[in-house]
Amino acid sequence: MLFTSYEFLGFLLVVFIMYYLLPGRAQWSFLLLASYAFYFMADPRYLIFIAITTASTFLAARAISDKKASFDAWFKEHKKEMEKDERKAAKAKAHSLEKKIFLCCLLFNLGILAVTKYTNFTISNINSVLGAFGKEGTLSFVNLIIPMGISFYTFQSMGYLIDVYNGKVEAQRNPFKFALFVSFFPQLVQGPISRYSDLSQTLFEEHRFNWQTVSFGLERILWGYFKKVVIADRILTSVQTIIADPDTYNGWYAFAGAMFYALELYADFTGGIDITIGVAETMGIKVTENFIRPYFSKNIKEYWNRWHITMGTWFTDYIFYPISASQFMMKLSKKSRARLGNNLGKRVPVYLSSFIVWFTTGIWHGASWNFIVWGLGNFVVIMISQELEPFYRWFHSKVNVAGTFGWRLFQVIRTVLIMSSLRMFDCYRDVPLTFKMFGSIFTKASLSQLNVQSFINMGLTVADYTVVFIAMLILVIVSLIQRSGSVRGKIATLAAPVRFVIWYGLLIGTIVFGAYGIGYSASQFIYNQF
Amino acid sequence: MQKKLKVVVAVIVTLAIVITTLFLATKLLEPKYMSGILEGAMIQEYYDDPTDHNVVFIGDCELYENITPVYLWEKYGINSYVRGSAQQLIWQSYYLAEETIEREHPDVIVFNVLSMKYNEPQKEAYNRMTLDGMKWSHSKVDSIKASMTDEESFIDYVFPLLRYHGRWSDLNSDDFKYMFKRDKVSFNGYYVRVDVKPAEDVPGGNPMVDYQFGDNAYHYLDKLTKLCKDNGVELVLVKAPTLYPYWYDEWEEQIVDYANKNDLTYINFLELQDEIGIDWNTDTYDGGLHLNLAGAEKLSKYFGKILVEDFKVPDRRSDKKLQSYWKGVNERYHQEIARQRSNLEKYGSVHEPEENQ
């Protein structure tokens, strides 16, 4: 059930009405039912996968929590009787069992994710290696189903497990409440990857109908649909045409394709998240924000703090920090400092950890070398950016441009260009072609190559491009206003007729100028496939 | 109290603005079918005719381009209407018949059997041309449900704006001119054409894997038969005398069998074309797919006689109300014929140059 389908809107309406008709204490149970119904409608087989992840994580977390609690109680009682070494040994013994449970559950669930998503990718690579030795197509591909949103709900569940293991959160005692945390339908298909400590605060609470909350939620949903159907799904046609025919569309067109895709991806993903957050908000549930105007970032590091925030922090908290602080890295740090000197040596473990994080980030996005190279591309750009820090400092000491509008604009444009170039790996069928198309921007782009008719031949009319341009301007204006606080909050202070004109104008604009229905290909949200 | 009143007024005003603007947007963006493809406007015109018809023709272009109710009126005094639309499928014909019988109870319903070859929904564009023009009723709802292709949604029929929103970039002067009015495009459902394009090199039928009409098509033919019998309406099955699409002998056998088993009259005008006097050099405007005015009047003359003699359809030319109604139709009919003939002379086409663009 696509977010942009009538079925979803109908489903939402029924859930919303029922949610507020039910007594408060039954609301979360109803949401669980609705979430499983939502997943069931996508494919009944998916339920087996999510149920297995839910049950295994719930049981493991509870076992870890119980072990911790019983050990703490025992330890409290007996610690005075023990020597320091004995205390340490007792702690290590108890921790060892917790660790075993934790690792079993972690590997089991990541194993499910790996098998469903990466088996054919692995087979393809093995075949390529065997092919290099003259053995063509040795292993055949397997037909596995990839449950919708598996990357998101697995990461969300594992985040919870790690937090319980680290003692950051108490394990949930109610299996159904935990099942709701894993399967909460608005965020099931494309995130955000919520933390248990954040989402659980409002997910299980009773919520009475509150007009302001509901209207804010509806406004957010509408804004999400505007981005998705007016911008993303309309520019999609040009993006697809450019990607499908690299022989024709290279040079400036490859550049245009990269820009169009950057716009499409932003409008698509942030639109989807707006719908997710808006749906939750109408029911009084607060879902973590996932974007803070990322294309306004001054550098790539900042960009990643503002784009897909919940994924970024997940990788930082659950992969980067544990790896950086691991005994192996400590030893590596020591050795590299001894061999390469303090300045260079201290960077080795950081960069190695960072490399692992970006490799994982890449492969999390999809089972293909394109995503892996895209992830590593980000790593390289960030690394270069960090290495150039002294140069930037020197430059700013000589040229006084920092803080000026022109410099800030340059930084923003630079970020957009770099990120859009890296995103070309999302588009083209393989890594060599992506490099070729990127190279063509510099080798084949000439002004004589550009003509309006070529853009029209991509499947959009001048009117379509005009709509996309105007909608993009609205997007930029809203983002600029947003820097000084909630736009919905500001609109709420305006006179009722003005508010009506704004929101109703947006509704009519979305209905009339949206690319949906017959004549437009029904487009999934891009992040649904991750 | 005053605050509550203010809220109520605000809600009412808001709703009124929302409904009005959505209505206006729908009216503007809906296709008008007032030039070019006129067939999309024909189903709706039926409701403008206040008279009760003795004969209603229901089916595809093999009826609305081949039978002229004006001629039937003038020659025999038969008050008839063609509820035809492009590629009208048999379930759509059934629901149109159901609606017609509920509205006016004709003596005879004539159904063209070519649509038996379709067993499943076909094209959304053709569905729209039949269904959009129907007034809302249980027949329309059922017809939509039976006709929808996989890409269609029922809600798009309820709120046409959701279907036609994308027309904002194709709007032309017709869309503004005909927002709240329509011109008549047919003559009691007949689509008139006076030009001639002789039938030459008409392709024969390609061999088919299976000639059997589908279960769904038979299901609706059964329903149509039962509907007419239950309501005391005479159902006449016909095959129009057009050369293409090809009418296979195997199809003919099935219809003959069906008519015999169900005690229905079936007339294959293809086999009677010599008796009717159709000359394929002069009586078709598109090489044998459809008859032109000359051909349609020949067929109407022949069929009218059958309707009068075999089905005792009354001559109602003495009915004052009908006289007045048909006078108007007749005037338009002859004006249109004159216009098309004049255009033919001036431009070599029945259409004005801007219509051809």
Side-chain angles (χ1 to χ4, degrees), chain A residues 48-339:
Chain A
I48 300 167
F49 290 87
I50 200 168
I52 288 172
T53 296
T54 304
S56 60
T57 313
F58 172 78
L59 291 172
R62 195 167 155 176
I64 291 167
S65 184
D66 287 349
K67 296 272 175 252
K68 272 190 199 297
S70 62
F71 174 75
D72 287 349
W74 177 85
F75 189 71
K76 204 175 175 185
E77 206 179 309
H78 296 90
K79 87 174 166 186
K80 285 178 187 164
E81 303 156 14
M82 289 190 287
E83 294 297 319
K84 197 179 175 186
D85 286 350
E86 284 175 322
R87 281 186 217 157
K88 210 173 175 183
K91 273 184 182 173
K93 195 182 168 191
H95 188 63
S96 153
L97 187 58
E98 288 164 26
K99 194 172 183 178
K100 277 178 192 159
I101 298 168
F102 166 70
L103 285 177
C104 277
C105 183
L106 193 72
L107 291 175
F108 175 68
N109 282 291
L110 292 179
I112 294 174
L113 178 65
V115 169
T116 51
K117 268 188 91 169
Y118 305 108
T119 301
N120 283 331
F121 176 59
T122 310
I123 289 172
S124 152
N125 285 304
I126 291 171
N127 281 344
S128 298
V129 173
L130 292 175
F133 293 100
K135 292 182 177 178
E136 292 292 331
T138 312
L139 297 175
S140 26
F141 290 106
V142 286
N143 191 16
L144 291 169
I145 57 165
I146 303 176
M148 183 174 74
I150 186 169
S151 301
F152 289 99
Y153 74 70
T154 304
F155 269 42
Q156 186 159 307
S157 308
M158 293 308 98
Y160 162 78
L161 182 74
I162 297 167
D163 283 348
V164 171
Y165 176 70
N166 288 333
K168 286 186 181 169
V169 296
E170 281 291 311
Q172 171 58 253
R173 313 304 292 178
N174 186 328
F176 300 107
K177 281 189 174 175
F178 180 67
L180 174 60
F181 166 70
V182 178
S183 65
F184 182 46
F185 76 89
Q187 59 164 46
L188 188 58
V189 287
Q190 56 178 359
I193 306 168
S194 293
R195 300 294 175 92
Y196 181 77
S197 51
D198 295 333
L199 187 59
S200 61
Q201 284 181 9
T202 52
L203 188 60
F204 312 125
E205 279 177 356
E206 297 182 12
H207 298 284
R208 289 296 95 210
F209 184 90
N210 177 300
W211 172 244
Q212 195 187 344
T213 311
V214 171
S215 62
F216 266 43
L218 290 174
E219 288 160 5
R220 188 81 187 254
I221 294 171
L222 178 58
W223 181 235
Y225 277 115
F226 173 79
K227 287 194 217 170
K228 169 68 178 161
V229 298
V230 178
I231 302 176
D233 287 355
R234 193 167 288 280
I235 200 68
L236 169 76
T237 310
S238 289
V239 174
Q240 284 177 335
T241 309
I242 291 172
I243 293 167
D245 189 1
D247 290 336
T248 306
Y249 297 108
N250 49 43
W252 279 118
Y253 298 111
F255 177 75
M259 292 297 116
F260 288 166
Y261 181 68
L263 175 65
E264 184 207 340
L265 182 68
Y266 175 77
D268 184 282
F269 194 15
T270 61
I273 293 294
D274 284 332
I275 296 169
T276 295
I277 294 175
V279 168
E281 199 171 353
T282 58
M283 294 183 280
I285 298 162
K286 194 161 168 42
V287 170
T288 322
E289 290 291 342
N290 215 21
F291 295 91
I292 309 170
R293 303 174 298 285
Y295 285 145
F296 285 1
S297 304
K298 292 190 285 294
N299 55 53
I300 304 302
K301 204 174 170 188
E302 186 188 337
Y303 170 88
W304 277 110
N305 288 330
R306 298 165 68 161
W307 173 280
H308 206 345
I309 298 164
T310 56
M311 183 203 69
T313 53
W314 198 98
F315 278 103
T316 307
D317 292 350
Y318 299 128
I319 296 188
F320 181 79
Y321 289 142
I323 290 176
S324 312
S326 67
Q327 284 183 345
F328 170 77
M329 285 297 175
M330 295 297 172
K331 281 179 190 166
L332 183 69
S333 177
K334 230 178 212 177
K335 278 185 184 172
S336 56
R337 279 178 203 221
R339 293 213 173 165

Side-chain angles (χ1 to χ4, degrees), chain B residues 70-88:
Chain B
V70 184
Y71 187 89
L72 289 175
W73 171 256
E74 286 184 334
K75 175 88 178 161
Y76 301 106
I78 295 173
N79 189 30
S80 67
Y81 202 99
V82 185
R83 296 204 75 184
S85 51
Q87 204 187 73
Q88 191 180 102

Side-chain angles (χ1 to χ4, degrees), chain B residues 29 50 55 75 114 138 145 154 164 167 170 217 276 285 300 314:
Chain B
L29 291 165
V55 181
K75 175 88 178 161
L114 180 66
H138 66 92
K145 284 181 184 168
F154 187 81
Y164 297 120
R167 287 194 69 248
D170 300 324
I276 298 166
Y285 76 90
S300 303

